[in-house]
Amino acid sequence: MNDMTKPSSLPQHTPTQRHARALALFDPTLVKPAIAESFRKLSPRAQLRNPVMFVVWVGSVLTTVLGAQALAGQGEAPAGFILGIAAWLWFTVLFANFAEALAEGRGKAQAAALRGSRRNVVAKKLAEARHDAKVTVIDSASLRRGDIVLIEAGDTVPADAEVLDGVASVDESAITGESAPVIRESGGDFSAITGGTRVLSDWLVARVTTNPGEAFLDRMIAMVEGARRKKTPNEIALTILLVALTLIFLLACATLLPFSLYSVKAAGGGSPVGITVLVALLVCLIPTTIGGLLSAIGVAGMSRMMQANVIATSGRAVEAAGDVDVLLLDKTGTITLGNQASAFLPAPGVTEQELADVAQLASLSDETPEGRSIVVLAKERFGLRGRELHDAHFIPFSAQTRMSGVDIPAAGAVREIRKGAAEAVKAHVEALGGQWALAVYDAASEVARRGGTPLVVAEGKRVMGVVELKDIVKGGIKERFAELRAMGIKTVMITGDNRLTAAAIAAEAGVDDFLAEARPEDKLKLIRDTQAEGKLVAMTGDGTNDAPALAQADVAVAMNSGTQAAKEAGNMVDLDSNPTKLIEIVETGKQMLMTRGALTTFSVANDVAKYFAIIPAAFAATYPQLKVLDVMRLNSPDSAILSAVIFNALIIIVLIPLALKGVKYRALGAGALLRRNLLVYGLGGLIVPFVGIKLIDVALGVLGLA
């Protein structure tokens, strides 16, 4: 066994999160490698992956050759002018390479941080799926899919696995960044465990679900590095459009030379347009800005998703998230906080404070949301705070007893406090010789009729009363749904509640529709029916029964805490296991599409200004009448052409922060977004080049280069 390490305390945040926060946009640790990578990407093979920039690369080579000829006295124009154009064309290619390398560098930094958290650990391989079976200690790298392992308190989980037996508290902070431990057990929706996490208590027998190199951490590293990133359909379609525009301008520029030669010959004088000028014209007219930044936008979008602690199996899923029409959201955990204590209903002869006191004592060790809410409610209502209970024996909840509680030694006796389902507590009280109060039964029934959950509390053989648990709509969720509605996204709440309860919560939360008493087949049917209308559907899930619907949905976000079946069916995995993350995922996807659309609009609008800068200058000698189009009154034809080429290169550098950070997200509909893009980036794309080219022309004049 090589490179074995013992488990150590795990960080409170993921390496990715910490590293992402530590690195600024132009951090020197990213910029220096990106500059070196920019030069490595100058190879023809690397440039061929981006057809638009490959045309610029060819133009750079051609003008460099023409510049060398000019130095030898055989140039079509002054050597300084040709070499100046060549230098700025090379800068254009390098700046585009730098944008992509910087985006990839952030991913590689995340991957390096993740590799730092990956390690080989000791694995206890079992001969069969029994806790007391023979154990063989091996290197975790030797484990294969299907192997059975034993993981005990203090052990690091050696590989991604599915729990077969046992129940344990697991610290997942190394992967999710969440410091609170979670419970993992067999036979439910919380049976998946991730390699690199740590078991804090008890033991688990688990079956390994991945081979070496296929584990969750390996997939995270591959994704953030971009090693498996493929162009998305939207990106491919935009690339085709850019290539088509490039070919059109290439053919147009290619025909200008013979036209120019013919015009000069027919006029009997003048100078034909030079190849250097035509190359400069071509480079400035083709969409080099978006062509140079397109790959960086895609890489940065995947990186932003990773920073949100979401693993996307493909860029297609991220892109689809931006086009989603319908969101299917589970009620509990997404729209509501789940069962939260809302009222203490004491039995006859018991005060509300007495009930709150014993209910809190029974809940001090209960780490479920219900248990914590009881402690909080008792504190808020009566100022009761958690107390140190010496020698107390806490009784955990079990499916068999359907109760939990605490035994507290007091004055030679033991206070037996229990809370749980009404029938379970009734049986417990009667077994001790106590009497079941009819008023308590009525109170529990009334809570159930209101859609809540009754939790009966007893001390010894005395029934103390009922704690009412009910779903509480999360704060701010109604406003989030209003934002989604403004974007044209329909929200549908899915719940197992009856229609009356579901309708009340749906109205309070502000969702557009709901599906009550939902079964797995109902979810699947709803998704298929919605997709048949030509709409894209997103949903979250964590259980095996969610797998069919997740497999059918266009954007399927599986919870990391869920089953292996759910994670395999989804095309995204939320490491935080936060069902509301679906809203954030949609916003991230839309931000990527908005960024791509905004920069495309800006790039295309740029060309209009370049027409007025280059065409009058390029053809002034051949067609003097075109001088009237020189609205910017540039110093000279050479200065006009060089200024346009310099601006074309510099604007890529200026837009790199926008490409990497993304356009600021706004909850607007498609029509409103289009109008805003046309106003800000379309009009801006028209105005900025006029100003920029003129300023560069003035600077060249001051430097004596005009």
Side-chain angles (χ1 to χ4, degrees):
M1 294 182 290
N2 301 320
D3 194 26
M4 296 282 187
T5 62
K6 294 183 179 179
S8 60
S9 60
L10 296 172
Q12 297 301 305
H13 299 279
T14 67
T16 302
Q17 289 174 318
R18 288 186 286 109
H19 210 67
R21 282 198 299 269
L23 293 178
L25 190 62
F26 290 104
D27 191 284
T29 59
L30 295 178
V31 171
K32 291 178 182 178
I35 292 173
E37 186 65 21
S38 300
F39 285 92
R40 282 193 287 269
K41 287 177 178 286
L42 286 176
S43 68
R45 181 177 297 179
Q47 292 301 310
L48 270 171
R49 294 199 297 267
N50 189 333
V52 176
M53 298 313 300
F54 179 70
V55 171
V56 182
W57 182 86
V58 172
S60 305
V61 173
L62 181 57
T63 51
T64 302
V65 173
L66 293 174
Q69 290 178 347
L71 288 174
Q74 302 175 353
E76 59 174 18
F81 171 72
I82 298 176
L83 291 175
I85 294 292
W88 281 102
L89 292 184
W90 282 117
F91 279 129
T92 304
V93 178
L94 284 170
F95 291 162
N97 289 349
F98 177 75
E100 183 178 18
L102 192 61
E104 291 174 348
R106 297 182 73 82
K108 289 176 181 177
Q110 290 175 327
L114 287 169
R115 281 198 183 92
S117 68
R118 183 173 61 181
R119 54 191 174 173
N120 272 354
V121 296
V122 170
K124 301 172 183 175
K125 183 178 178 181
L126 295 174
E128 53 185 305
R130 290 195 351 260
H131 178 228
D132 56 353
K134 180 183 178 182
V135 173
T136 303
V137 178
I138 63 171
D139 188 328
S140 61
S142 303
L143 292 172
R144 294 294 183 271
R145 186 195 302 267
D147 286 347
I148 308 298
V149 293
L150 171 65
I151 313 155
E152 298 176 298
D155 291 348
T156 297
V157 177
D160 293 357
E162 190 86 13
V163 177
L164 300 177
D165 191 16
V167 57
S169 176
V170 180
D171 182 350
E172 295 187 339
S173 59
I175 302 297
T176 68
E178 176 59 53
S179 58
V182 295
I183 301 299
R184 293 290 175 260
E185 58 186 339
S186 62
D189 290 344
F190 301 97
S191 58
I193 49 176
T194 306
T197 58
R198 184 183 175 194
V199 172
L200 299 179
S201 67
D202 302 293
W203 54 267
L204 297 171
V205 173
R207 179 186 292 114
V208 176
T209 55
T210 58
N211 290 320
E214 300 173 359
F216 214 76
L217 205 55
D218 296 305
R219 289 167 57 195
M220 291 168 68
I221 292 170
M223 195 278 283
V224 297
E225 275 189 316
R228 298 179 185 174
R229 194 186 90 87
K230 296 180 181 179
K231 287 186 176 181
T232 64
N234 184 285
E235 194 174 349
I236 292 171
L238 184 55
T239 301
I240 292 172
L241 173 63
L242 298 182
V243 170
L245 289 174
T246 302
L247 289 175
I248 291 171
F249 286 121
L250 181 60
L251 292 173
C253 290
T255 59
L256 289 177
L257 181 59
F259 272 116
S260 177
L261 292 171
Y262 174 79
S263 297
V264 169
K265 184 177 180 180
S271 302
V273 64
I275 293 177
T276 301
V277 173
L278 286 177
V279 170
L281 176 64
L282 173 63
V283 169
C284 287
L285 294 187
I286 63 176
T288 49
T289 305
I290 184 62
L293 296 174
L294 186 59
S295 180
I297 293 170
V299 174
M302 298 288 281
S303 179
R304 282 196 299 275
M305 194 67 76
M306 183 66 232
Q307 288 173 16
N309 253 12
V310 176
I311 297 294
T313 57
S314 70
R316 180 189 294 267
V318 179
E319 187 173 279
D323 285 329
V324 159
D325 301 295
V326 179
L327 287 184
L328 303 185
L329 302 158
D330 276 332
K331 182 199 69 174
T332 305
T334 305
I335 297 172
T336 67
L337 295 171
N339 283 332
Q340 300 286 297
S342 62
F344 296 111
L345 308 175
V350 179
T351 66
E352 188 177 351
Q353 183 169 349
E354 287 175 334
L355 171 59
D357 180 60
V358 293
Q360 187 189 64
L361 288 173
S363 305
L364 290 177
S365 69
D366 188 348
E367 291 301 321
T368 64
E370 295 89 342
R372 289 195 294 268
S373 71
I374 292 172
V375 174
V376 171
L377 183 62
K379 176 183 174 182
E380 290 176 349
R381 290 280 181 86
F382 304 104
L384 300 174
R385 299 181 178 276
R387 288 145 284 181
E388 292 291 334
L389 299 180
H390 300 288
D391 301 323
H393 174 60
F394 289 99
I395 313 297
F397 176 85
S398 72
Q400 290 75 29
T401 64
R402 298 172 64 202
M403 292 187 305
S404 63
V406 61
D407 291 341
I408 307 172
V414 176
R415 296 179 64 188
E416 296 184 8
I417 301 174
R418 299 291 184 269
K419 63 179 174 67
E423 294 300 325
V425 175
K426 179 176 182 290
H428 170 74
V429 169
E430 290 177 347
L432 295 175
Q435 295 294 319
W436 177 251
L438 186 60
V440 172
Y441 180 82
D442 292 339
S445 299
E446 179 59 28
V447 169
R449 276 194 297 271
R450 291 198 295 261
T453 300
L455 202 62
V456 179
V457 181
E459 181 174 356
K461 56 185 180 180
R462 183 187 182 195
V463 179
M464 303 296 291
V466 176
V467 179
E468 180 177 3
L469 305 177
K470 70 176 184 179
D471 273 340
I472 297 176
V473 174
K474 289 184 175 180
I477 198 75
K478 191 169 187 175
E479 290 72 19
R480 296 295 294 275
F481 289 148
E483 291 179 6
L484 292 171
R485 193 176 298 109
M487 290 189 291
I489 297 176
K490 180 181 179 181
T491 52
V492 180
M493 181 185 79
I494 298 176
T495 177
D497 291 340
N498 61 64
R499 287 190 60 82
L500 289 176
T501 302
I505 294 175
E508 185 180 353
V511 295
D512 299 309
D513 200 357
F514 64 89
L515 178 65
E517 300 175 354
R519 299 168 299 171
E521 53 268 31
D522 297 327
K523 299 179 187 178
L524 186 59
K525 182 179 184 301
L526 177 61
I527 293 173
R528 287 175 174 170
D529 290 346
T530 305
Q531 289 172 332
E533 299 172 5
K535 298 177 180 178
L536 294 183
V537 181
M539 77 163 288
T540 60
D542 58 7
T544 300
N545 62 351
D546 291 325
L550 287 171
Q552 182 68 35
D554 300 286
V555 178
V557 185
M559 301 295 102
N560 185 43
S561 62
T563 62
Q564 191 67 25
K567 289 196 277 189
E568 289 177 356
N571 49 29
M572 292 187 186
V573 177
D574 176 22
L575 300 180
D576 296 329
S577 298
N578 176 10
T580 59
K581 188 71 68 68
L582 182 57
I583 298 174
E584 187 176 340
I585 289 169
V586 169
E587 291 175 354
T588 302
K590 282 195 173 292
Q591 186 184 36
M592 188 175 77
L593 294 180
M594 287 164 58
T595 303
R596 195 178 290 157
L599 292 184
T600 300
T601 304
F602 185 88
S603 179
V604 173
N606 261 217
D607 291 344
V608 176
K610 296 171 192 171
Y611 296 154
F612 286 94
I614 290 188
I615 291 180
F619 295 94
T622 306
Y623 304 107
Q625 299 88 341
L626 291 177
K627 185 65 178 175
V628 71
L629 296 178
D630 184 15
V631 295
M632 286 186 274
R633 298 293 184 263
L634 302 176
N635 284 314
S636 67
D638 286 358
S639 175
I641 294 167
L642 188 57
S643 297
V645 171
I646 293 173
F647 174 83
N648 197 59
L650 293 180
I651 197 64
I652 294 177
I653 284 289
V654 172
L655 292 175
I656 285 177
L658 184 62
L660 298 185
K661 293 176 67 176
V663 173
K664 186 176 180 181
Y665 170 78
R666 285 179 173 82
L668 300 173
L673 279 176
L674 177 60
R675 289 191 296 272
R676 184 179 181 279
N677 272 357
L678 290 176
L679 179 63
V680 176
Y681 298 99
L683 186 60
L686 285 173
I687 296 173
V688 170
F690 279 100
V691 177
I693 291 172
K694 181 62 180 178
L695 289 175
I696 294 171
D697 176 71
V698 171
L700 291 177
V702 171
L703 295 173
L705 301 175

